[in-house]
Amino acid sequence: MTTTPLYLEDAYRREAATRVTQITDEGGIVLDASLFYPTSGGQPGDSGVVRWGLAEDENAIEIATTVKGTDGQIVLVPAEPSALPPEGTLVRQEIAWDRRYKHMRVHTALHLLSVVIPLPVTGGSISPDKGRLDFDMPEAPEDREEIEKTLNMLIDCDFAVNEEWITDAEMDANPGLVKTLRVKPPRGTGRVRLVRIGVGDDTADLQPCGGTHVSRTSEIGRVRLGKIEKKGKQNRRVYLHLDT
């Protein structure tokens, strides 16, 4: 049984009731619908708490991270061994919102970084306070101050961030939408999710992505460029940091 990804319906939702469909052999919890984002595309899996039982006799288990299982399942990984809710139990899931929201801000900022540095992306990673993209870039950029200035200018434009869906065939017909060389767009359902920053002719970025994002770029806040590291003959790793 696949897990319904509630985080795609509303990335700002923090709590939801659902049922346990499976306890894995490793002690992971599979729900029928998940607010918890599973580790993917450089974005860490969500943490939080799962609660069940009556208020006067409530049980709770801390979730350390979330990963993808088999056949479209999302698996919540407990922080430590503990009593688990039996299959079929009605539970309440609560994500660690502050951590998730920072991931959303960093992730959206990285999309804009790929606009300011219009080169193929070879890798990336997100954490609560910073993120990085690896570019197919033989030489380090000389205009790092201009890159930071342009990135913050795009953020200040307060672009709307929305999603849309295209079929696999439409994706295949538009390979230029894919900026990443090694990470392929999430597939398996016959359609591909696109994240658009901006609207119509004012679109700043459009690319396949299965992650969570803020609804407007102004929510990112000010960012600063960090280290630019050499990672192989053709690669440069560019870091960005949230200022607040």
Side-chain angles (χ1 to χ4, degrees), residues 89-202:
T89 301
L90 181 66
V91 300
R92 185 157 197 84
Q93 52 186 313
E94 303 170 6
I95 61 171
W97 171 247
D98 288 347
R99 179 172 178 266
R100 153 72 83 76
Y101 187 54
K102 287 183 177 180
H103 289 166
M104 292 162 59
R105 292 168 62 199
V106 171
H107 199 154
T108 311
L110 290 178
H111 277 233
L112 292 178
L113 181 62
S114 75
V115 174
V116 180
I117 303 178
L119 295 172
V121 176
T122 58
S125 180
I126 296 165
S127 67
D129 297 304
K130 66 181 180 179
R132 53 94 173 165
L133 287 180
D134 298 346
F135 292 94
D136 185 6
M137 181 194 300
E139 300 296 332
E142 298 178 355
D143 54 347
R144 57 175 295 135
E145 290 185 2
E146 188 64 27
I147 291 173
E148 182 177 296
K149 178 182 177 181
T150 304
L151 183 56
N152 281 295
M153 180 188 70
L154 288 174
I155 291 170
D156 289 342
C157 285
D158 195 26
F159 289 114
V161 182
N162 294 298
E163 68 170 29
E164 53 196 72
W165 296 82
I166 59 174
T167 65
D168 286 348
E170 289 171 323
M171 183 73 255
D172 292 337
N174 293 276
L177 290 172
V178 182
K179 296 185 177 183
T180 53
L181 293 178
R182 297 173 185 167
V183 179
K184 302 302 180 183
R187 297 204 186 200
T189 63
R191 61 179 191 159
V192 178
R193 179 181 183 247
L194 302 180
V195 171
R196 183 186 293 274
I197 300 179
V199 179
D201 292 339
D202 291 329

Side-chain angles (χ1 to χ4, degrees), residues 175-243:
L177 290 172
V178 182
K179 296 185 177 183
T180 53
L181 293 178
R182 297 173 185 167
V183 179
K184 302 302 180 183
R187 297 204 186 200
T189 63
R191 61 179 191 159
V192 178
R193 179 181 183 247
L194 302 180
V195 171
R196 183 186 293 274
I197 300 179
V199 179
D201 292 339
D202 291 329
T203 293
D205 186 52
L206 178 66
Q207 61 176 295
C209 184
T212 58
H213 301 269
V214 292
S215 62
R216 303 198 69 88
T217 58
S218 59
E219 293 182 48
I220 297 169
R222 186 165 183 83
V223 300
R224 56 184 172 83
L225 222 57
K227 295 185 295 183
I228 299 179
E229 299 176 337
K230 183 176 181 180
K231 291 293 180 179
K233 185 178 180 180
Q234 290 290 119
N235 284 281
R236 293 294 185 276
R237 177 166 293 175
V238 182
Y239 288 88
L240 65 77
H241 300 257
L242 298 179
D243 260 2

